[in-house]
Amino acid sequence: MRLGLALFVTIPLLAQTLAQQAAQQTAPPTAPAAADASSASPTPSTEPWITGTVDFGFRFTSVGGSNDVYRSVVNLGQGPRLLGLDFTIVDPKKRLFDRLDVRANNWGGDPYNTLHVNASKRGIYDFNFDYRDIAYFSLLPSFADPLLGTGIVLDEDSYFARRRMSDFQLDLFPGHRIIPYLAYGRDSGEGTGITTFESDVNQYPVADHTFDKTDNYRGGVRLEFNRFHATLEQGGTTLRDDQQAYDSTVNYGNNYQQQYFGQTLDLTNLAQAYGIRGDSIYTKVLFTANPFSWVDVSGQFLYSRPETNVNYTQFDTGNLVLQQSILFYTAEQALGFAAGKQPHTTGSLGFELRPLKRVRVLQTWMTDRMHTSAAGLVTDMILGQFFAAPATSSPLASLLVMNYNQEQTDVLLEVTHKLTLRGGYRYVWGDAETGNMLIAGPGQESSELRQQVGIAGINFRASQKLTANVDFEDASSSHAYFLTSLYNYQKMRARARYQLVSTLALQASFSLLNNQNPAAGSNYDFLSRQNSLSATWTPSKRVSIVSEYTRSTLRSNIGYLEPEFLSPVTSLYRDNAHNASALVDLALPGYAKLTPRLAFGGSLFISSGSRPTTFYQPLARLSLPLHKGVVWKSEYRYYGYDEAFYQYEGFRAHLLQTGLAISR
C-alpha cells in the first residue's frame, strides 16, 4: 500500500519535471522566466486547514423559592458561557499530526464541563485526552434533618463538592497487528458540607471538609490478528482520602431540648480527622478468538491487590456522657490506625456455537473472589472535671471473604427470517463470611447465595415497518446476602416499533419488576411497572414533532426493627408518576438562502404517593442565521418544582440564554 502511494505521488512529479525540462530545451530565450514564475505559484488548495464551530453566549437567571433546592436539582447559574467548541485542524504537511480534533462544552461556570482532544498521525500514534469537571451540590432541607420539627432547617448530610476526572491514552502504531499503549487517569474531589459527630445519646451536626484522589497508571499491548484479538495490561493505582470535621461553637446537638439525668449535653469544641492512604497493582487480560467459522470464544481475567492504611485522630470537649455507665465527662481524645489488604480475582469465559444455520448457543461463566483482612488499634482517653480515666486500647481485627459465581446458557433459534426465539438458564451461587468487623463490632456472620433464573425472549420482525421483542426472567432463590436483594423475582421488558406511514413512527415499551423476599421479620415486597409511548412525526421538511409519555408505578413494603425500642414496624413507600415531553421543530421562511428555526415544547413530571412532586420545564429555542457561518441562538427555559408535603422546598426559575454560533 505504501509503495502504491509513493508511486501515485512520484509519477506525476516526475512527469511534471520532465515536461519542464523539455520546455526549457525548446522554448525561446524568454520562456524560462515565465516557466519559473508559473512553477513558483502553484494552485492553492481549496481545503481549509481548520474547520469548526464556536458557540458562546450569556445566561440570565431569576430564581424564586428555595435556592438550595434549585441548586441541588438544576444548578445552572448566570453569566457568560462557552456553550460549545468543536474544531478540526488538518496539517497538509503532516508534521506533528495529520489531524487534531478538539471538543469542549459548558465552560464558564456550569456544573458539568467537558473537554476532549484527539491527535493522530496515521500509522504512528493516536492520542486521546478527556477531562470532566462536575460540581455536586446537595442541600435538601427535609433530608437527614431531625431538627426540622422544631423549625431548624439544616440538612445534616449536605455537601458541595467538585469532581475532576482526567484520562490520557497514547496508542502507538495504530492499524498494525501489535499496538502498545500507555495511559494515565486521575479522579479527584474536594468539598465542604455538614456531617454528624456521634456521641452516645446525642448527635451533633458539624462542618466537614473532604478531599480524595486516585491516580491510575497503566500500560499494555493489543494484539490484532485475523482470528485472534488480545489485550495484555499491567497497572497500578494510588489512593488518598482525607476528611476533617470541626466545630468551635456551643452545639447542643439533635436532643438539645431534652436533659439527660438533669444535665444538658453539649459540644463546645471538636477536631476530628482521618486519612487513608492506599495503593494497588493489577493485571488484566482480555481475548476474543474465532478459531472456526462456527465458534467464537472470549474471556477476561483481572487480578488486583489493593492495600490501605488508615490514621484517625479525635479531640472533643463539652458536657458529654457515656450511656453504659452514665459517666459525664468534659473532654475526650482518641487515636487509631488500621491496615488492610484485599486480593481480588475476577474471571469470565464464554463462547458462541453455531452448530446449525439457524441455531446459536451462548455459554458464559464468571467468578468474582474477594478476600479482605484488616487489623487496627484504637486508643481512647476520657477526662472529667474531677477525674482522668486511664486510656483504653482496643485491638481490632476484621475479615471478609466473598465469592460470587454465575453460569448462563442461552439458545437462540431463528424459526424464520422474521421470528427468533430465545431460551436460557442462569445459575448464581456464592458464599460470604465475616470475622470481627471494625465498625459493626465483635461477632462472626456467614451467608450463602443460591439463585436459579429462567430466561425467555422473542424477536419478531413482521416487516420493515413493524418490529417487536419481549424479554422475560423468572427467578427463585433459597439464600441471598441482603434483604433487599433480588430474591424471587419476575422481570419483563417489551418493546415495539411501528412505521405507520413514511412520516410517522410510533414506539411503545413496557417494563415490570416484581420482587419478593419472604424472610421472617422483613417480608420484602417490591413492584415496579413502567409504560411508555413515543411518536416521531415529520409531516414536511420544515416541520418535525417528537413526543413521549411514560406512566410508572412503584410499591415497596419491608419490615424492620425500630432503632429506639427494637419493635417491629413496616416501611411503606408508594409512587405513581406521569412523565411527558414534547418538542416541535419548525423551519421558518428563509431569506438570502438562510433558514431560521424555531423549536418549542417541554417536559413535565407529576407524581402522587409517599412524596407527591410536580416538576415542569417548558422551553423555546430560536435559531436565526445572520450570515453564512454566523447564527444567533436564544433559548428560554422555565423550571417549576413543588412538593405537597414540603412546600418550603419548592422553587421557580426563569432562564434566558442568548449568544452566537460561529462556524467555518
Side-chain angles (χ1 to χ4, degrees), residues 424-426 451-456 472-476 487-492 514:
Y425 171 77
R426 181 191 308 135
Q451 186 178 81
Q452 302 184 68
V453 184
I455 303 170
F472 179 78
E473 292 185 9
D474 185 28
S476 175
Y487 201 83
N488 299 330
Y489 74 88
Q490 296 81 42
K491 182 191 297 185
M492 187 179 73
N514 181 31

Side-chain angles (χ1 to χ4, degrees), residues 142-163:
S142 65
F143 182 72
D145 192 355
L147 303 178
L148 189 60
T150 64
I152 299 178
V153 178
L154 178 66
D155 180 353
E156 296 183 5
D157 192 24
S158 61
Y159 59 88
F160 173 68
R162 299 196 75 95
R163 295 216 67 83

Side-chain angles (χ1 to χ4, degrees), residues 611-630:
R611 190 157 185 160
T613 303
T614 60
F615 184 63
Y616 301 99
Q617 186 187 338
L619 65 89
R621 299 192 190 107
L622 176 63
S623 177
L624 186 63
L626 303 178
H627 191 270
K628 183 180 180 181
V630 180

Side-chain angles (χ1 to χ4, degrees), residues 271 319 332 582:
N319 189 27
E332 179 183 15

Side-chain angles (χ1 to χ4, degrees), residues 550-621:
T550 300
R551 166 67 170 169
S552 60
T553 61
L554 187 148
R555 182 192 73 205
S556 175
N557 302 332
I558 187 170
Y560 68 100
L561 295 179
E562 195 272 333
E564 292 184 0
F565 304 103
L566 298 181
S567 57
V569 293
T570 302
S571 173
L572 306 176
Y573 185 83
R574 301 290 185 272
D575 186 78
N576 305 300
H578 303 269
N579 194 343
S581 64
L583 185 67
V584 180
D585 192 301
L586 304 175
L588 303 179
Y591 52 89
K593 297 184 179 181
L594 303 175
T595 304
R597 302 195 73 90
L598 173 65
F600 58 90
S603 61
L604 63 86
F605 175 85
I606 302 174
S607 71
S608 61
S610 299
R611 190 157 185 160
T613 303
T614 60
F615 184 63
Y616 301 99
Q617 186 187 338
L619 65 89
R621 299 192 190 107

Side-chain angles (χ1 to χ4, degrees), residues 448-453 474-490 513-520 522 524:
E448 293 184 349
L449 174 64
R450 298 290 184 273
Q451 186 178 81
Q452 302 184 68
V453 184
D474 185 28
S476 175
S477 303
S478 58
H479 299 82
Y481 290 151
F482 308 103
L483 294 177
T484 54
S485 298
L486 289 178
Y487 201 83
N488 299 330
Y489 74 88
Q490 296 81 42
L513 175 59
N514 181 31
N515 184 36
Q516 311 287 325
N517 187 340
S522 66
Y524 182 47

Side-chain angles (χ1 to χ4, degrees), residues 237-427:
T237 62
T238 60
L239 167 69
R240 174 185 172 184
D241 189 354
D242 297 324
Q243 180 174 356
Q244 298 87 35
Y246 47 89
D247 192 18
S248 59
T249 61
V250 179
N251 189 333
Y252 294 103
N254 293 332
N255 297 326
Y256 74 101
Q257 290 182 328
Q258 301 178 6
Q259 289 191 339
Y260 192 77
F261 284 88
Q263 296 197 35
T264 300
L265 303 178
D266 61 54
L267 177 71
T268 58
N269 188 67
L270 171 68
Q272 184 186 52
Y274 75 76
I276 301 176
R277 300 295 182 270
D279 59 75
S280 173
I281 60 171
Y282 64 87
T283 302
K284 181 167 66 175
V285 179
L286 310 173
F287 78 91
T288 61
N290 176 228
F292 306 101
S293 61
W294 47 271
V295 60
D296 294 324
V297 183
S298 63
Q300 64 176 4
F301 171 81
L302 175 64
Y303 173 76
S304 61
R305 194 182 64 199
E307 299 181 3
T308 58
N309 294 279
V310 182
N311 289 282
Y312 175 81
T313 61
Q314 173 189 319
F315 179 76
D316 54 278
T317 62
N319 189 27
L320 308 166
V321 65
L322 289 177
Q323 184 180 19
Q324 185 174 4
S325 57
I326 315 180
L327 175 65
F328 291 91
Y329 61 94
T330 58
E332 179 183 15
Q333 181 176 348
L335 300 173
F337 71 89
K341 297 182 178 181
Q342 188 186 76
H344 192 177
T345 304
T346 302
S348 67
L349 181 65
F351 59 83
E352 177 181 330
L353 298 178
R354 296 175 288 277
L356 301 174
K357 182 179 180 180
R358 295 189 175 185
V359 177
R360 296 165 57 198
V361 179
L362 290 81
Q363 177 70 44
T364 59
W365 172 83
M366 70 88 62
T367 183
D368 186 77
R369 300 175 179 274
M370 183 176 65
H371 184 123
T372 303
S373 59
L377 180 67
V378 176
T379 302
D380 194 4
M381 178 182 293
I382 293 177
L383 304 175
Q385 186 175 1
F386 304 106
F387 70 91
T392 59
S393 297
S394 302
L396 304 171
S398 178
L399 174 69
L400 172 62
V401 178
M402 187 171 69
N403 300 314
Y404 176 89
N405 305 278
Q406 176 179 302
E407 183 179 3
Q408 180 169 328
T409 303
D410 290 283
V411 179
L412 283 77
L413 173 62
E414 186 178 350
V415 181
T416 68
H417 69 282
K418 293 183 177 182
L419 179 64
T420 302
L421 302 179
R422 175 193 177 198
Y425 171 77
R426 181 191 308 135
Y427 180 56

